[in-house]
Amino acid sequence: MTEDTRSMINDKVEKLSVPPGFVSLSSFTLKNLSSNEVACSSMAVGDAFQTELSPVGFTPTMDNIAMFKSNLSHRPWILYNQFDYKSNESDSELEMNFPLRACLPKGVVRGCSSCPNCQKVIARWHPEESHRPVLEEAPVFQPSEEEFKESLEYVARIRQKAEQFGICRIVPPPSWKPPCLLKERNIWETSKFKTHIQLVNDLQDQGIKRNLDRSHKEAKIKRRRVWMRSSGDGSLNEISTDANEAQSQAESFISKLGPELTLEAFNRYADDFKRQYFCKRENAINSDANLTAHEDGWEPSVENVEGEYWRIIENPIEEIEVLCCANVETGGFGSGFPVHSNSMGLPNYPEYRDSCWNLNNIFKLPGSLLGYENRQASAALLPHLSTGMCFSSVCWKAEEHHMYSLSYIHFGSPKIWYVIPGGYCYRFERVVKKHLPHCLEHPELLYKNISQLSPSTLTAEGIPVYRCVQYPGEFVVTFPAAYHSQFDSGFNCSETVNFAPFDWLPYGQHVVEMYCEQGRKTLISHDKLLLGAAMDAVREKWKCELLKKNASVCGKDGILTKALKLRVKQEAIRREYLCRGLQLQKMEDDFDSDKRDCSTCLYDLHFSAIGCSCSPGRYACLLHAKNLCPCHWTARYLLYRYEISELNLLVQALEGRLDAIYHWGKKKLDLRVSSDDLRELRNRGEVSASVKSAATSTLSQLLGPKELVTGQVCRKEEEEKYDLQRISAGSGSRQDTLECIDPNFGNITSKKGKFGKSQTVQNEVIVLSDDEE
C-alpha cells in the first residue's frame, strides 16, 4: 500500500471520530464473514464509511482490514467477534468456554400427569462395564462391653492405629441395640423433609462447568453501574455495585429442590428406583424377561452397585437423576436416638437416652471441647440426619473446622465411604486444581463438596484412598483434616455429629487462620473453646494441688497448655505491633454472646476486637484494624477480654505454678475449697499438736513473719483462735507444695517465695488461715 493511500485512510478515520458526549448508546455487531478478501471488503462498518472510501478507487486487502479494525477498536459501540448479539447475558458466554458433553438422553423420567412423584427408569445396569476401584479397606474395631462404656475414651484409644487411614468402622457389642424413633408412626408417615435432585453423571466435573456458566450469567445480569455526581467539581464517579455476585455464585451451586416427602414415601421411591434399574434380563432382545430383584429373590451386592456407580460417573451414557436429603437438623425433624426433651410423646428408653454413644450427648461428654460453645448458636453442635437412595452421594469434603465426625446408620442399605488421610489434605487440593482447573479461579469450590473425583484418579497421583463399607447399626469415625466422600447403595437413614477432643486443638487453630485468609465464616469460636477448657483445667488444678490428684491435660507438655501458649503468643504479637496508639477498653462479658466476626475476614472476635465510634456494632480483627473505617487511626479503640499478662498467668497456671493457680482460681474464678475437700484432706492425714521447727522455718520464709503466727492464728472478724495443725499428706517421695487453708471459710492460697521460686516441704501440708486482704 502506498504512502498516499495510508495517509488518506488515516484522514478518513479521523473524520469519523465521535465527539465526546455523542457516543451512541445502541450497539451493533460486525458480522464475521468468510475469510476471502472480497467478503472482508463488505464488512459491516457502516454505509458511510464504504461510500467515502469507494471514490478513491482502492480495493481493501486483508492487511487493510486488520488496520481498519485496529483504528476502530476504541469505538465502544462496535462489538467484535459476536455473531448474534442479543443482550448483556451473552457476555458471560464469551468468558466461559467450557467444552460441555453432548446432552445425554434421560435415563430417569420423574412425574406424570396423574402423579408428580412417580418415576420411570429407562436406564439399565451395565455389569460388563463395571468401574469398581480396587482399594485397601479401612480398619474395623469391635470393642468389648467394657471398652464400649466410654465413647471418647475409646476413640482416643484407637486413634493411633486408625488416624493414618483417616477413617475407621466401629461395630458395637451385640447387646447394644438402640431403638430408632424415626420409625415411630407419627414421624415415619407424617413428618416431611425437603429433597434435592442430584445428577449422578454430572458429579465429576460437568456439573461444575455448567454451574459456573450459569452463575456467571446470573452475576452479569445482576451487575449494575451507578453514576453519581460528586459535590464540588461536578465530575462523574463510577461506582460498581457487584455485591450480589459472590452470593449469586454460591447459590448457583445449590442443587435443585425435589419434592417434599415423608420417610415412608421416600423409602417407596428409592426401592422402586433400585428395583427398576437393576432388574435382570435374560437377553437384551427378549424384553419380556423383566425379573426384578424382589420377584426372583436376587438383589445386587454392594460391589455390583459400586461398580455401576463409578461407571455412571466416569463413562455416562444416560442422565441418571436421584433424590437425596442431607443435613436435616435433628432439633427440628427429630433424632433417631431417644432424647431428654421429648415434645412428640415418643418412648424414653433411659439406657440409650443417656448413653455416651447417643449422638445427642457427644458434645457435653468429659473431654469434649464443644461443650464450651453455645449449642443453640452453632449448628455445628447438633446432629444431622441424612436420607439417601441408591447412587445418592456426598462428594469430597473435609469436616468444618477439620473436626472429628461420628456417623451412625439407623436402618437401610450400606453406605460406601472413600477417605484420604488428613496428612494428604493439601496434596489432594493441589490434585483437584490440576484436574479441575476452574478451581484455580474459584477456590471456594474446594469446600463446596461438589466434585466426585474417582479414587483411581487420586491413587494415580500418589494419594492413598481407603474404602469403608458401613452397615446399619455401625459407627464410622472420620479423623481431623481427612477428606472423604460417600454414596448409598440403597435407601437408608443415617445420623452424624461433629466432636472435638483435646487432641483436635492444633488442627482447630490452624483452620481458624486458614478461614481468615479465605474470608470464610467460622461456625464455632475456637478462642472460646480454648479459654473455657483452660479455666476448667485451672479448677482441676486447684483440686489436684490440694488433693494430690493428676490432671491429664495440664503440665508443660499438655496439649491444652501448648495450644493456649501458642495462641497467647500470637495475640501478644498482634496487639504489640498492630494496635499501637489505640485506646484500650475492657470487653463486656456478653460482647460475643451472639458470636461476633471481623467485618473484613470473618475472624472470630472472642479474644479482642477493634471498634470505632463511627461504626457502632461493626468490628474488625487485629489484622484488619485499618480496614474498619476511614476515620483517623487514633479514633479507633481496642476491646480486650483479658490483658496479655493475665493470659500469660493462665498459661503458667496450666503449667502448675501455684501463684498463677491462686490468681486465676481465687481472683478470676472465685474458687473456694469445699467442706468435702477439707474433710477428705483431714481424713487422709494425722493431726499433730505441734509443728516441727523445720516446717515453721520454711513457712516463715514462704509467708513472711506477719502472716505466720506460731501455734495460733487470729481471725480478725470474730477474734477466734485455733491451733496450727499439721496434716501428713501421706507417704511417697513426691515434693508436696505448701498450701495455706482457712478450714472455716475454705479459702486456699498458694504462696511463693520472694524470688518467685516454689518452696516445698516433703510430705507435709500446713493448715492455717488465709489472713490476706
Side-chain angles (χ1 to χ4, degrees):
M1 183 171 59
T2 65
E3 193 68 22
D4 293 336
T5 305
R6 184 178 292 107
S7 175
M8 181 190 65
I9 293 172
N10 289 337
D11 290 341
K12 297 296 182 182
V13 171
E14 285 297 320
K15 289 179 182 180
L16 291 175
S17 297
V18 179
F22 290 86
V23 177
S24 173
L25 297 180
S26 62
S27 305
F28 62 90
T29 305
L30 294 179
K31 302 291 184 180
N32 187 14
L33 303 177
S34 60
S35 58
N36 59 70
E37 297 181 6
V38 177
C40 289
S41 65
S42 61
M43 181 188 298
V45 295
D47 295 337
F49 190 81
Q50 289 184 346
T51 303
E52 290 190 283
L53 285 180
S54 55
V56 179
F58 96 103
T59 302
T61 64
M62 290 300 294
D63 292 337
N64 301 147
I65 298 303
M67 184 183 68
F68 291 165
K69 281 190 174 184
S70 176
N71 287 327
L72 294 175
S73 61
H74 70 281
R75 288 170 167 76
W77 67 91
I78 300 179
L79 304 176
Y80 294 95
N81 300 325
Q82 295 189 29
F83 305 126
D84 296 309
Y85 180 79
K86 296 179 181 178
S87 68
N88 286 338
E89 296 179 32
S90 59
D91 292 348
S92 60
E93 295 175 0
L94 296 178
E95 298 172 11
M96 307 304 294
N97 190 24
F98 294 134
L100 295 175
R101 285 189 185 126
C103 185
L104 298 176
K106 282 187 173 292
V108 180
V109 179
R110 183 169 55 86
C112 64
S113 57
S114 58
C115 178
N117 295 330
C118 67
Q119 63 182 332
K120 181 179 181 181
V121 181
I122 305 168
R124 288 294 180 267
W125 174 36
H126 296 267
E128 70 283 355
E129 299 178 18
S130 173
H131 281 222
R132 181 174 176 263
V134 179
L135 303 172
E136 184 179 349
E137 296 289 330
V140 181
F141 296 92
Q142 296 179 319
S144 64
E145 297 278 357
E146 185 66 27
E147 292 173 327
F148 197 69
K149 287 182 178 179
E150 297 294 339
S151 56
L152 295 188
E153 288 184 12
Y154 184 73
V155 171
R157 193 177 303 126
I158 65 176
R159 180 172 70 93
Q160 188 173 1
K161 293 181 179 179
E163 191 172 20
Q164 58 186 312
F165 295 89
I167 192 173
C168 70
R169 181 159 58 102
I170 299 176
V171 181
S175 62
W176 201 78
K177 296 182 182 297
C180 180
L181 301 188
L182 298 175
K183 287 191 173 182
E184 294 292 326
R185 185 173 180 179
N186 53 347
I187 295 180
W188 180 260
E189 297 180 0
T190 61
S191 295
K192 290 189 175 183
F193 53 87
K194 293 180 179 179
T195 63
H196 291 269
I197 299 172
Q198 205 172 51
L199 294 178
V200 183
N201 52 284
D202 267 0
L203 289 180
Q204 182 152 291
D205 59 348
Q206 296 300 311
I208 298 179
K209 296 174 182 179
R210 188 174 292 109
N211 278 320
L212 277 175
D213 187 40
R214 186 173 70 247
S215 67
H216 274 265
K217 288 183 180 180
E218 293 173 356
K220 206 78 173 180
I221 295 171
K222 291 183 178 181
R223 187 177 294 124
R224 297 291 182 267
R225 296 290 181 181
V226 180
W227 293 86
M228 299 180 62
R229 184 175 299 278
S230 64
S231 59
D233 58 4
S235 61
L236 292 174
N237 298 321
E238 184 183 18
I239 301 174
S240 176
T241 57
D242 297 341
N244 292 330
E245 181 174 359
Q247 183 67 20
S248 170
Q249 279 194 347
E251 291 173 353
S252 69
F253 284 96
I254 299 175
S255 56
K256 294 180 181 179
L257 283 175
E260 286 193 10
L261 299 173
T262 63
L263 283 169
E264 181 184 37
F266 193 92
N267 187 9
R268 287 198 305 268
Y269 185 92
D271 288 348
D272 181 54
F273 171 87
K274 189 174 182 179
R275 182 167 52 248
Q276 292 187 58
Y277 192 93
F278 286 95
C279 71
K280 294 174 64 176
R281 298 193 177 196
E282 298 296 331
N283 195 309
I285 302 176
N286 183 9
S287 59
D288 296 331
N290 241 358
L291 299 178
T292 66
H294 289 274
E295 288 171 346
D296 63 1
W298 180 86
E299 187 171 351
S301 65
V302 171
E303 290 73 19
N304 293 147
V305 177
E306 185 179 20
E308 179 66 7
Y309 174 77
W310 288 111
R311 197 275 307 168
I312 296 172
I313 290 179
E314 295 181 336
N315 186 29
I317 57 176
E318 295 144 324
E319 188 180 89
I320 306 299
E321 177 188 289
V322 297
L323 300 180
C324 63
C325 175
N327 295 329
V328 177
E329 289 189 9
T330 56
F333 188 84
S335 171
F337 292 102
V339 294
H340 285 272
S341 55
N342 190 347
S343 59
M344 303 183 70
L346 299 175
N348 244 338
Y349 303 104
E351 176 188 355
Y352 297 104
R353 181 195 63 196
D354 301 325
S355 170
C356 63
W357 290 94
N358 183 329
L359 302 191
N360 298 281
N361 300 330
I362 295 293
F363 82 101
K364 61 185 178 182
L365 293 176
S368 171
L369 291 167
L370 297 184
Y372 301 106
E373 182 60 275
N374 183 355
R375 195 183 190 196
Q376 283 69 36
S378 179
L381 308 184
L382 294 172
H384 289 76
L385 287 172
S386 295
T387 306
M389 58 184 286
C390 186
F391 300 146
S392 61
S393 312
V394 175
C395 299
W396 289 106
K397 71 165 188 172
E399 296 296 325
E400 290 286 351
H401 289 264
H402 285 184
M403 288 187 285
Y404 286 79
S405 75
L406 184 64
S407 177
Y408 179 81
I409 296 183
H410 288 291
F411 53 79
S413 300
K415 187 186 295 285
I416 297 93
W417 295 72
Y418 304 98
V419 178
I420 298 166
Y424 290 85
C425 64
Y426 298 112
R427 189 171 175 181
F428 166 78
E429 292 174 1
R430 290 196 297 270
V431 170
V432 171
K433 292 176 181 178
K434 173 183 174 181
H435 287 268
L436 306 174
H438 32 273
C439 289
L440 292 172
E441 298 179 4
H442 304 275
E444 71 277 4
L445 298 182
L446 286 173
Y447 55 82
K448 286 185 182 294
N449 54 286
I450 58 173
S451 177
Q452 190 77 312
L453 277 181
S454 74
S456 303
T457 301
L458 297 173
T459 53
E461 294 284 351
I463 297 178
V465 182
Y466 298 98
R467 176 179 179 268
C468 177
V469 180
Q470 181 187 13
Y471 294 89
E474 297 179 350
F475 290 95
V476 158
V477 178
T478 64
F479 290 85
Y483 270 94
H484 53 87
S485 70
Q486 55 185 269
F487 78 93
D488 299 314
S489 64
F491 170 73
N492 64 25
C493 184
S494 60
E495 192 167 343
T496 305
V497 73
N498 291 117
F499 65 99
F502 283 95
D503 59 74
W504 163 83
L505 280 170
Y507 295 96
Q509 182 60 49
H510 175 74
V511 167
V512 166
E513 301 303 324
M514 182 179 71
Y515 280 15
C516 175
E517 294 176 3
Q518 297 173 350
R520 185 175 170 187
K521 187 176 179 62
T522 57
L523 297 184
I524 56 176
S525 172
H526 182 83
D527 289 342
K528 182 186 288 187
L529 305 186
L530 198 56
L531 275 181
M535 291 179 186
D536 261 8
V538 169
R539 292 184 180 95
E540 291 300 314
K541 270 287 187 182
W542 178 277
K543 295 180 180 180
C544 289
E545 292 300 328
L546 174 66
L547 302 177
K548 312 307 175 198
K549 295 179 180 178
N550 294 322
S552 59
V553 297
C554 297
K556 291 185 178 181
D557 297 327
I559 296 173
L560 177 59
T561 306
K562 288 181 177 179
L564 181 63
K565 191 173 186 177
L566 182 64
R567 179 68 183 94
V568 171
K569 182 179 179 180
Q570 179 193 66
E571 181 75 9
I573 293 173
R574 290 179 178 178
R575 289 191 194 181
E576 180 180 358
Y577 293 102
L578 300 178
C579 304
R580 288 180 180 175
L582 296 184
Q583 309 170 47
L584 301 180
Q585 293 185 21
K586 180 75 173 176
M587 188 182 286
E588 297 290 337
D589 291 338
D590 61 347
F591 170 76
D592 61 344
S593 57
D594 292 331
K595 194 174 186 304
R596 303 250 188 194
D597 299 316
C598 172
S599 58
T600 300
C601 68
L602 303 180
Y603 193 85
D604 178 64
L605 303 178
H606 186 73
F607 261 14
S608 56
I610 302 296
C612 183
S613 57
C614 77
S615 308
R618 187 169 181 263
Y619 300 93
C621 67
L622 305 189
L623 291 175
H624 296 102
K626 293 184 178 180
N627 300 354
L628 180 63
C629 64
C631 298
H632 192 270
W633 176 252
T634 55
R636 298 173 177 84
Y637 54 85
L638 169 65
L639 287 172
Y640 66 91
R641 189 170 297 275
Y642 295 107
E643 296 179 359
I644 294 299
S645 58
E646 294 177 312
L647 294 174
N648 283 327
L649 208 57
L650 180 57
V651 173
Q652 294 169 6
L654 296 185
E655 292 175 342
R657 283 188 53 175
L658 292 179
D659 58 341
I661 296 174
Y662 170 68
H663 174 86
W664 270 91
K666 182 181 179 184
K667 297 186 177 181
K668 294 294 181 184
L669 304 177
D670 196 29
L671 295 182
R672 297 290 184 268
V673 179
S674 67
S675 58
D676 292 339
D677 292 337
L678 284 172
R679 190 177 301 110
E680 180 179 351
L681 186 63
R682 290 177 181 276
N683 291 338
R684 290 173 56 193
E686 296 178 357
V687 179
S688 174
S690 61
V691 182
K692 294 181 180 179
S693 58
T696 305
S697 175
T698 306
L699 272 176
S700 178
Q701 296 175 19
L702 182 66
L703 304 179
K706 293 183 179 180
E707 294 177 305
L708 177 64
V709 180
T710 306
Q712 292 182 344
V713 177
C714 295
R715 235 181 66 191
K716 295 181 181 179
E717 292 84 352
E718 301 180 14
E719 296 294 327
E720 293 182 357
K721 299 181 179 181
Y722 54 88
D723 292 337
L724 182 67
Q725 301 171 337
R726 179 179 65 80
I727 299 178
S728 173
S731 59
S733 59
R734 180 178 177 270
Q735 291 284 333
D736 293 321
T737 309
L738 286 173
E739 307 280 3
C740 299
I741 306 169
D742 180 345
N744 293 321
F745 289 96
N747 293 338
I748 177 169
T749 61
S750 304
K751 300 297 181 180
K752 285 286 185 176
K754 295 181 180 180
F755 302 101
K757 297 181 179 180
S758 301
Q759 303 195 27
T760 60
V761 177
Q762 185 165 348
N763 295 334
E764 290 191 354
V765 173
I766 308 301
V767 180
L768 50 122
S769 73
D770 179 5
D771 210 14
E772 292 189 325
E773 68 278 5

